[in-house]
Amino acid sequence: MCVCTFKRTDLLPNLLRDLESQFTGGLFTYEVVIGDNDRERSAENVTRACAATSTVRITYCNEPEQNIALMRNRTMQVANGGLLAFIDDDEVPTSRWLHQLFQTQGKYEAGPVLGPVLPRFVTTPREWVTRGKFFSRPRHQTGFPIQWPEARTGNVLLGNKVWRQLTPPFRPQFGSGGEDVDFFRRLSDLGCTFVWCDEAAVDEFVPAYRCTRQFLFRRALLRGSNFPKQPAGRARNAFKSVIAVPCYVVALPLLAIVGHHHFVRYLVKLLDHASRLLALVGVRLSTERQN
């Protein structure tokens, strides 16, 4: 029932321990599938060592090609059961995480059920990082309908009947990022409804290197560079970028005076929009995903 995408082997044992102790209330059973997107199979030994003593079935699978979309597809093929949950290995679930998602899915008869991903900083970040809320996402009351642009795979439960409507579920051309946004957009086009479950929160470890301007800027450039891969609303969004770029350029000097967190936030937006426009004419400023 649970699929974990692989990033860091040092955090994996802690996640597997937390997954093993999930409360079910006798309503369901579950297994864990670890998807390793490293051709060196660096998560294999850790996974098999944990599986040897675990009371929950743990399965390891590997996708040697460096492509997160292919890796997600591989783990989905291996997973059994009628429901599938995604969590990343740099996240920490509560003991009732799966139970809360399961209960909400049944109550609202929803397609995907999504929960909050809350930042847990490894080291105390600078003030502009916390004031700018660069790692915070909107939260809603349980049962609130979510629109597809807000959906992510870091904390989600969905039924097999939902994702099997897509072939493939995650498209390989989004291997450097944006594959989850494309996945949920296509589900929305099929008429799927997304529901929020605020009680099913997970914490995400945020290392110090992410709390830098360089990381935020590179992430914005990659997001913009992947923009042309999304066919829906391309002309409308490109027009928005044409308007946004000069507006942000004019506003940045004033924002630098108002507060550094405002300046960085809107410089990130500027880089995102500028990268979109350049990507439309064949210039991609960033192609590598940084975890």
Side-chain angles (χ1 to χ4, degrees), residues 3-7 35-38 61-78 84 86 88 153 163 166-184 186 226 229-230 287 289 291:
V3 175
C4 168
T5 60
F6 166 73
K7 294 177 188 173
D36 185 353
N37 197 201
D38 180 9
C61 66
N62 177 259
E63 172 51 60
E65 183 176 342
Q66 299 294 291
N67 185 306
I68 193 168
L70 291 177
M71 185 199 68
R72 294 195 192 281
N73 291 338
R74 178 66 62 88
T75 54
M76 294 169 85
Q77 291 170 359
V78 172
L84 183 69
F86 274 106
D88 291 338
T153 50
W163 64 264
L166 303 179
T167 307
F170 293 92
R171 296 197 292 175
Q173 58 264 44
F174 288 91
S176 59
E179 80 292 337
D180 51 352
V181 176
D182 175 70
F183 173 76
F184 289 111
R186 290 155 63 210
N226 284 328
K229 298 176 183 178
Q230 289 284 1
T287 58
R289 178 172 180 157
N291 293 325

Side-chain angles (χ1 to χ4, degrees), residues 189-240:
D189 290 343
L190 292 174
C192 288
T193 58
F194 311 149
V195 169
W196 187 258
C197 178
D198 202 56
E199 293 80 13
V202 302
D203 288 348
E204 178 184 31
F205 287 104
V206 182
Y209 75 85
R210 291 189 188 179
C211 301
T212 62
R213 289 178 288 270
Q214 291 86 347
F215 176 84
L216 296 173
F217 295 162
R218 287 186 60 182
R219 187 170 66 175
L221 292 175
L222 178 60
R223 190 165 52 242
S225 293
N226 284 328
F227 166 73
K229 298 176 183 178
Q230 289 284 1
R234 183 181 301 174
R236 180 180 68 254
N237 290 326
F239 178 75
K240 289 181 180 179

Side-chain angles (χ1 to χ4, degrees), residues 255-275:
L255 292 170
I257 299 173
V258 173
H260 187 66
H261 61 292
H262 290 303
F263 175 78
V264 175
R265 175 168 290 279
Y266 281 89
L267 182 52
V268 166
K269 292 178 181 289
L270 170 61
L271 293 175
D272 188 339
H273 284 286
S275 183

Side-chain angles (χ1 to χ4, degrees), residues 142-161:
T142 296
F144 185 86
I146 299 297
Q147 301 301 312
W148 67 263
E150 212 176 319
R152 297 292 185 274
T153 50
N155 181 3
V156 62
L157 175 73
L158 61 155
N160 284 356
K161 291 182 180 179

Side-chain angles (χ1 to χ4, degrees), residues 41-90:
R41 306 174 71 93
S42 54
E44 184 172 18
N45 291 337
V46 174
T47 302
R48 299 200 185 285
C50 293
T53 59
S54 177
T55 57
V56 174
R57 180 181 178 185
I58 300 176
T59 302
Y60 171 86
C61 66
N62 177 259
E63 172 51 60
E65 183 176 342
Q66 299 294 291
N67 185 306
I68 193 168
L70 291 177
M71 185 199 68
R72 294 195 192 281
N73 291 338
R74 178 66 62 88
T75 54
M76 294 169 85
Q77 291 170 359
V78 172
N80 297 305
L83 293 171
L84 183 69
F86 274 106
I87 187 170
D88 291 338
D89 66 356
D90 56 358

